[in-house]
Amino acid sequence: HAQPTKTTEERLAVATSQADHDTNDQPVRRRAQLDRDVIIQAVLELSAHGKPLTFRALGTALGADPTAMYRHFRDKDELVRGAFDRMLTEVSSRIDTAASWREQLRQSAVATMEICEKYPSIGAEALALTTHGPGELTAVEHLLQQFLRAGLDQAAAVRFYAAYSSYLLAASATSASLVLAPRLDRTSGPEEREWIGDMGRVDAALYPAVASARSELAKLQDREVFMMGLDVLLDAAAAAGSKA
């Protein structure tokens, strides 16, 4: 009888268990258990716990020789790109495709930031990562479709997609970096994280606008500022679409 196919999580659990030992009590590597899927899942696990993303760390996590990773990935860069592509697939799974174009773009933005914060050591590199993989291609297809639904022609949709993605990835990478920062107060989530905080005493003669707005500036929170900027961009897309 055919054996049931193991899920990624089940294979990862096997791969990350203690190495078997032969009759001489010598460790036996589980090279046959490793594949790209298992390795990428292990990278995400390391990233979620703030661990270093090195082949040595992966070897320890998977109970395998670190050099075994090179059978599946050329280098760390390819590995990180593969993990980021998987993260983009997770973003797509969170979007309600029955929602309006604007709501789908807002959902995609929030999901991207949350997932970059969930896997911060990868998310912090989001702005510099291009995968050309199925996760990224699915995301690009989805975003372009929404801007086309807004009434934009193809050239305008491409420009707004580029502006949206640049803004989103820069903000998400910054937020992920803050998660990694040892000075961050982790008792508060991103929704409560101060954008600039209390600036203390400000010389009103030198900085009159800052002194006048100091209390309002102190009330700003990261997620609030991010969503405000996003809505400005989407308002512009809606306006351009209505004129097309």
Side-chain angles (χ1 to χ4, degrees):
H1 297 285
Q3 295 297 318
T5 302
K6 287 185 172 65
T7 65
T8 299
E9 290 74 15
E10 289 171 334
R11 284 183 286 140
L12 179 60
V14 171
T16 55
S17 63
Q18 293 293 327
D20 285 340
H21 290 75
D22 62 18
T23 55
N24 294 320
D25 200 36
Q26 295 298 316
V28 177
R29 297 297 186 188
R30 297 176 178 269
R31 293 190 179 95
Q33 299 291 342
L34 295 182
D35 58 28
R36 289 178 65 93
D37 199 42
V38 165
I39 295 170
I40 286 175
Q41 187 63 34
V43 170
L44 293 174
E45 292 278 345
L46 289 174
S47 180
H49 291 89
K51 302 296 184 182
L53 302 183
T54 64
F55 280 10
R56 182 181 296 277
L58 274 172
T60 299
L62 292 168
D65 191 310
T67 60
M69 311 305 153
Y70 289 102
R71 296 187 178 89
H72 305 279
F73 298 92
R74 290 190 302 273
D75 50 29
K76 179 185 173 182
D77 183 66
E78 183 184 6
L79 178 57
V80 171
R81 290 175 189 278
F84 186 61
D85 201 68
R86 183 72 56 82
M87 290 163 60
L88 292 175
T89 297
E90 187 174 344
V91 170
S92 297
S93 71
R94 296 191 183 190
I95 299 170
D96 177 7
T97 56
S100 67
W101 69 267
R102 185 184 187 111
E103 181 57 27
Q104 288 193 49
L105 290 173
R106 293 180 103 253
Q107 290 176 9
S108 177
V110 171
T112 299
M113 179 166 282
E114 289 179 346
I115 289 170
C116 283
E117 291 168 345
K118 180 180 177 181
Y119 306 110
S121 51
I122 299 172
E125 301 181 40
L127 188 60
L129 293 174
T130 300
T131 74
H132 296 163
E136 182 177 73
L137 292 173
T138 297
V140 174
E141 173 71 19
H142 174 261
L143 296 177
L144 286 173
Q145 289 287 358
Q146 302 322 302
F147 283 115
L148 290 169
R149 287 179 64 200
L152 299 169
D153 61 31
Q154 180 168 291
V158 167
R159 290 194 297 272
F160 271 99
Y161 152 73
Y164 170 96
S165 296
S166 295
Y167 173 72
L168 171 58
L169 293 176
S172 296
T174 299
S175 193
S177 296
L178 289 173
V179 173
L180 293 173
R183 62 180 174 79
L184 181 67
D185 175 12
R186 289 180 172 80
T187 61
S188 62
E191 292 82 359
E192 297 82 33
R193 198 162 56 218
E194 294 177 337
W195 183 71
I196 195 169
D198 187 356
M199 303 178 73
R201 293 179 61 85
V202 176
D203 188 333
L206 292 174
Y207 314 106
V210 175
S212 176
R214 187 167 64 87
S215 61
E216 285 80 6
L217 287 168
K219 294 175 184 177
L220 292 174
Q221 297 173 337
D222 277 2
R223 186 60 59 86
E224 173 193 11
V225 172
F226 168 68
M227 296 306 295
M228 180 177 65
L230 177 66
D231 283 332
V232 168
L233 193 154
L234 296 182
D235 286 345
S242 68
K243 296 176 182 178

mmCIF file of all heavy atoms in Angstrom, residues 124-152:
data_model
loop_
_atom_site.group_PDB
_atom_site.id
_atom_site.type_symbol
_atom_site.label_atom_id
_atom_site.label_comp_id
_atom_site.label_asym_id
_atom_site.label_seq_id
_atom_site.Cartn_x
_atom_site.Cartn_y
_atom_site.Cartn_z
ATOM 1 N N ALA A 124 13.316 42.360 7.395
ATOM 2 C CA ALA A 124 14.152 43.559 7.419
ATOM 3 C C ALA A 124 14.862 43.781 6.088
ATOM 4 O O ALA A 124 15.310 44.891 5.797
ATOM 5 C CB ALA A 124 15.178 43.459 8.548
ATOM 6 N N GLU A 125 14.960 42.736 5.262
ATOM 7 C CA GLU A 125 15.615 42.839 3.957
ATOM 8 C C GLU A 125 14.610 42.946 2.810
ATOM 9 O O GLU A 125 14.992 42.891 1.646
ATOM 10 C CB GLU A 125 16.509 41.626 3.722
ATOM 11 C CG GLU A 125 17.603 41.427 4.758
ATOM 12 C CD GLU A 125 18.480 40.223 4.448
ATOM 13 O OE1 GLU A 125 18.792 40.012 3.259
ATOM 14 O OE2 GLU A 125 18.843 39.498 5.385
ATOM 15 N N ALA A 126 13.330 43.118 3.149
ATOM 16 C CA ALA A 126 12.270 43.031 2.149
ATOM 17 C C ALA A 126 12.463 43.973 0.971
ATOM 18 O O ALA A 126 12.205 43.608 -0.182
ATOM 19 C CB ALA A 126 10.913 43.297 2.804
ATOM 20 N N LEU A 127 12.916 45.185 1.234
ATOM 21 C CA LEU A 127 13.048 46.173 0.162
ATOM 22 C C LEU A 127 14.081 45.756 -0.878
ATOM 23 O O LEU A 127 13.970 46.119 -2.046
ATOM 24 C CB LEU A 127 13.425 47.535 0.757
ATOM 25 C CG LEU A 127 13.424 48.727 -0.209
ATOM 26 C CD1 LEU A 127 12.032 48.924 -0.814
ATOM 27 C CD2 LEU A 127 13.877 49.990 0.495
ATOM 28 N N ALA A 128 15.060 44.958 -0.467
ATOM 29 C CA ALA A 128 16.150 44.574 -1.376
ATOM 30 C C ALA A 128 15.940 43.210 -2.019
ATOM 31 O O ALA A 128 16.757 42.783 -2.834
ATOM 32 C CB ALA A 128 17.480 44.577 -0.617
ATOM 33 N N LEU A 129 14.859 42.518 -1.662
ATOM 34 C CA LEU A 129 14.666 41.148 -2.127
ATOM 35 C C LEU A 129 13.733 41.088 -3.336
ATOM 36 O O LEU A 129 12.613 41.595 -3.293
ATOM 37 C CB LEU A 129 14.096 40.283 -1.001
ATOM 38 C CG LEU A 129 15.020 40.046 0.189
ATOM 39 C CD1 LEU A 129 14.277 39.286 1.292
ATOM 40 C CD2 LEU A 129 16.261 39.279 -0.222
ATOM 41 N N THR A 130 14.211 40.466 -4.394
ATOM 42 C CA THR A 130 13.390 40.143 -5.563
ATOM 43 C C THR A 130 13.553 38.656 -5.819
ATOM 44 O O THR A 130 14.679 38.178 -5.928
ATOM 45 C CB THR A 130 13.837 40.939 -6.797
ATOM 46 O OG1 THR A 130 13.724 42.339 -6.519
ATOM 47 C CG2 THR A 130 12.982 40.597 -8.000
ATOM 48 N N THR A 131 12.450 37.920 -5.899
ATOM 49 C CA THR A 131 12.558 36.462 -5.967
ATOM 50 C C THR A 131 12.288 35.895 -7.361
ATOM 51 O O THR A 131 12.818 34.858 -7.718
ATOM 52 C CB THR A 131 11.571 35.811 -4.988
ATOM 53 O OG1 THR A 131 10.230 35.918 -5.490
ATOM 54 C CG2 THR A 131 11.648 36.462 -3.609
ATOM 55 N N HIS A 132 11.401 36.529 -8.137
ATOM 56 C CA HIS A 132 10.956 36.004 -9.431
ATOM 57 C C HIS A 132 10.298 34.631 -9.259
ATOM 58 O O HIS A 132 10.158 33.888 -10.235
ATOM 59 C CB HIS A 132 12.114 35.914 -10.439
ATOM 60 C CG HIS A 132 12.685 37.249 -10.788
ATOM 61 N ND1 HIS A 132 13.920 37.397 -11.387
ATOM 62 C CD2 HIS A 132 12.216 38.508 -10.608
ATOM 63 C CE1 HIS A 132 14.174 38.674 -11.559
ATOM 64 N NE2 HIS A 132 13.163 39.372 -11.092
ATOM 65 N N GLY A 133 9.934 34.287 -8.044
ATOM 66 C CA GLY A 133 9.303 32.999 -7.769
ATOM 67 C C GLY A 133 7.790 33.094 -7.811
ATOM 68 O O GLY A 133 7.220 34.173 -8.024
ATOM 69 N N PRO A 134 7.095 31.975 -7.588
ATOM 70 C CA PRO A 134 5.630 31.972 -7.678
ATOM 71 C C PRO A 134 4.957 32.887 -6.663
ATOM 72 O O PRO A 134 3.914 33.481 -6.953
ATOM 73 C CB PRO A 134 5.265 30.497 -7.436
ATOM 74 C CG PRO A 134 6.463 29.898 -6.765
ATOM 75 C CD PRO A 134 7.643 30.631 -7.310
ATOM 76 N N GLY A 135 5.536 33.014 -5.476
ATOM 77 C CA GLY A 135 4.944 33.907 -4.486
ATOM 78 C C GLY A 135 4.977 35.349 -4.947
ATOM 79 O O GLY A 135 3.975 36.076 -4.835
ATOM 80 N N GLU A 136 6.122 35.774 -5.467
ATOM 81 C CA GLU A 136 6.247 37.154 -5.938
ATOM 82 C C GLU A 136 5.398 37.393 -7.178
ATOM 83 O O GLU A 136 4.711 38.427 -7.286
ATOM 84 C CB GLU A 136 7.704 37.466 -6.246
ATOM 85 C CG GLU A 136 7.925 38.903 -6.709
ATOM 86 C CD GLU A 136 9.393 39.201 -6.944
ATOM 87 O OE1 GLU A 136 9.946 38.719 -7.951
ATOM 88 O OE2 GLU A 136 9.986 39.912 -6.111
ATOM 89 N N LEU A 137 5.420 36.463 -8.121
ATOM 90 C CA LEU A 137 4.642 36.643 -9.350
ATOM 91 C C LEU A 137 3.144 36.698 -9.055
ATOM 92 O O LEU A 137 2.410 37.490 -9.655
ATOM 93 C CB LEU A 137 4.950 35.518 -10.334
ATOM 94 C CG LEU A 137 6.366 35.532 -10.916
ATOM 95 C CD1 LEU A 137 6.619 34.288 -11.751
ATOM 96 C CD2 LEU A 137 6.577 36.791 -11.751
ATOM 97 N N THR A 138 2.687 35.877 -8.112
ATOM 98 C CA THR A 138 1.276 35.921 -7.715
ATOM 99 C C THR A 138 0.942 37.271 -7.097
ATOM 100 O O THR A 138 -0.116 37.860 -7.372
ATOM 101 C CB THR A 138 0.967 34.796 -6.709
ATOM 102 O OG1 THR A 138 1.180 33.528 -7.351
ATOM 103 C CG2 THR A 138 -0.473 34.865 -6.220
ATOM 104 N N ALA A 139 1.844 37.784 -6.258
ATOM 105 C CA ALA A 139 1.613 39.078 -5.619
ATOM 106 C C ALA A 139 1.574 40.204 -6.644
ATOM 107 O O ALA A 139 0.692 41.070 -6.599
ATOM 108 C CB ALA A 139 2.704 39.338 -4.578
ATOM 109 N N VAL A 140 2.522 40.208 -7.586
ATOM 110 C CA VAL A 140 2.560 41.258 -8.608
ATOM 111 C C VAL A 140 1.302 41.206 -9.471
ATOM 112 O O VAL A 140 0.689 42.237 -9.774
ATOM 113 C CB VAL A 140 3.823 41.140 -9.476
ATOM 114 C CG1 VAL A 140 3.785 42.142 -10.631
ATOM 115 C CG2 VAL A 140 5.076 41.359 -8.637
ATOM 116 N N GLU A 141 0.910 40.001 -9.871
ATOM 117 C CA GLU A 141 -0.309 39.834 -10.668
ATOM 118 C C GLU A 141 -1.517 40.403 -9.927
ATOM 119 O O GLU A 141 -2.325 41.150 -10.489
ATOM 120 C CB GLU A 141 -0.530 38.353 -10.972
ATOM 121 C CG GLU A 141 -1.858 38.023 -11.667
ATOM 122 C CD GLU A 141 -1.914 38.498 -13.113
ATOM 123 O OE1 GLU A 141 -0.845 38.752 -13.709
ATOM 124 O OE2 GLU A 141 -3.033 38.608 -13.644
ATOM 125 N N HIS A 142 -1.627 40.071 -8.657
ATOM 126 C CA HIS A 142 -2.764 40.535 -7.861
ATOM 127 C C HIS A 142 -2.787 42.057 -7.746
ATOM 128 O O HIS A 142 -3.826 42.700 -7.928
ATOM 129 C CB HIS A 142 -2.724 39.905 -6.469
ATOM 130 C CG HIS A 142 -3.778 40.435 -5.555
ATOM 131 N ND1 HIS A 142 -3.516 41.420 -4.624
ATOM 132 C CD2 HIS A 142 -5.098 40.159 -5.445
ATOM 133 C CE1 HIS A 142 -4.624 41.708 -3.975
ATOM 134 N NE2 HIS A 142 -5.592 40.959 -4.447
ATOM 135 N N LEU A 143 -1.643 42.656 -7.462
ATOM 136 C CA LEU A 143 -1.589 44.105 -7.283
ATOM 137 C C LEU A 143 -1.903 44.841 -8.587
ATOM 138 O O LEU A 143 -2.667 45.817 -8.598
ATOM 139 C CB LEU A 143 -0.212 44.516 -6.762
ATOM 140 C CG LEU A 143 0.156 43.980 -5.373
ATOM 141 C CD1 LEU A 143 1.576 44.391 -5.001
ATOM 142 C CD2 LEU A 143 -0.835 44.462 -4.320
ATOM 143 N N LEU A 144 -1.328 44.374 -9.686
ATOM 144 C CA LEU A 144 -1.631 44.999 -10.975
ATOM 145 C C LEU A 144 -3.116 44.905 -11.304
ATOM 146 O O LEU A 144 -3.727 45.873 -11.789
ATOM 147 C CB LEU A 144 -0.803 44.350 -12.082
ATOM 148 C CG LEU A 144 0.681 44.703 -12.128
ATOM 149 C CD1 LEU A 144 1.401 43.846 -13.162
ATOM 150 C CD2 LEU A 144 0.880 46.185 -12.449
ATOM 151 N N GLN A 145 -3.712 43.758 -11.033
ATOM 152 C CA GLN A 145 -5.147 43.576 -11.305
ATOM 153 C C GLN A 145 -5.981 44.563 -10.515
ATOM 154 O O GLN A 145 -6.983 45.103 -11.017
ATOM 155 C CB GLN A 145 -5.562 42.138 -10.985
ATOM 156 C CG GLN A 145 -5.035 41.088 -11.942
ATOM 157 C CD GLN A 145 -5.731 41.115 -13.295
ATOM 158 O OE1 GLN A 145 -6.648 41.898 -13.532
ATOM 159 N NE2 GLN A 145 -5.285 40.256 -14.201
ATOM 160 N N GLN A 146 -5.600 44.832 -9.264
ATOM 161 C CA GLN A 146 -6.396 45.752 -8.447
ATOM 162 C C GLN A 146 -6.290 47.182 -8.970
ATOM 163 O O GLN A 146 -7.283 47.915 -8.984
ATOM 164 C CB GLN A 146 -5.960 45.680 -6.980
ATOM 165 C CG GLN A 146 -6.056 44.293 -6.354
ATOM 166 C CD GLN A 146 -7.276 43.526 -6.812
ATOM 167 O OE1 GLN A 146 -8.415 43.967 -6.653
ATOM 168 N NE2 GLN A 146 -7.042 42.345 -7.384
ATOM 169 N N PHE A 147 -5.106 47.589 -9.383
ATOM 170 C CA PHE A 147 -4.971 48.940 -9.928
ATOM 171 C C PHE A 147 -5.691 49.069 -11.268
ATOM 172 O O PHE A 147 -6.238 50.143 -11.589
ATOM 173 C CB PHE A 147 -3.495 49.328 -10.048
ATOM 174 C CG PHE A 147 -2.873 49.698 -8.731
ATOM 175 C CD1 PHE A 147 -1.859 48.935 -8.176
ATOM 176 C CD2 PHE A 147 -3.330 50.810 -8.032
ATOM 177 C CE1 PHE A 147 -1.297 49.273 -6.951
ATOM 178 C CE2 PHE A 147 -2.773 51.156 -6.796
ATOM 179 C CZ PHE A 147 -1.759 50.396 -6.258
ATOM 180 N N LEU A 148 -5.741 48.002 -12.047
ATOM 181 C CA LEU A 148 -6.534 48.022 -13.273
ATOM 182 C C LEU A 148 -8.020 48.127 -12.940
ATOM 183 O O LEU A 148 -8.772 48.839 -13.628
ATOM 184 C CB LEU A 148 -6.253 46.767 -14.106
ATOM 185 C CG LEU A 148 -4.867 46.686 -14.756
ATOM 186 C CD1 LEU A 148 -4.626 45.291 -15.322
ATOM 187 C CD2 LEU A 148 -4.721 47.747 -15.854
ATOM 188 N N ARG A 149 -8.452 47.444 -11.890
ATOM 189 C CA ARG A 149 -9.846 47.529 -11.454
ATOM 190 C C ARG A 149 -10.201 48.939 -11.006
ATOM 191 O O ARG A 149 -11.375 49.341 -11.054
ATOM 192 C CB ARG A 149 -10.113 46.550 -10.307
ATOM 193 C CG ARG A 149 -10.174 45.091 -10.698
ATOM 194 C CD ARG A 149 -10.423 44.230 -9.472
ATOM 195 N NE ARG A 149 -11.729 44.522 -8.872
ATOM 196 C CZ ARG A 149 -12.067 44.224 -7.624
ATOM 197 N NH1 ARG A 149 -11.180 43.655 -6.812
ATOM 198 N NH2 ARG A 149 -13.272 44.502 -7.167
ATOM 199 N N ALA A 150 -9.208 49.698 -10.566
ATOM 200 C CA ALA A 150 -9.447 51.078 -10.142
ATOM 201 C C ALA A 150 -9.713 52.003 -11.323
ATOM 202 O O ALA A 150 -10.037 53.182 -11.133
ATOM 203 C CB ALA A 150 -8.246 51.585 -9.352
ATOM 204 N N GLY A 151 -9.569 51.483 -12.535
ATOM 205 C CA GLY A 151 -9.845 52.276 -13.729
ATOM 206 C C GLY A 151 -8.608 52.823 -14.407
ATOM 207 O O GLY A 151 -8.718 53.583 -15.377
ATOM 208 N N LEU A 152 -7.436 52.435 -13.934
ATOM 209 C CA LEU A 152 -6.190 52.924 -14.526
ATOM 210 C C LEU A 152 -5.865 52.168 -15.808
ATOM 211 O O LEU A 152 -6.195 50.983 -15.938
ATOM 212 C CB LEU A 152 -5.039 52.751 -13.537
ATOM 213 C CG LEU A 152 -5.167 53.505 -12.206
ATOM 214 C CD1 LEU A 152 -4.104 53.028 -11.231
ATOM 215 C CD2 LEU A 152 -5.061 55.006 -12.434
#
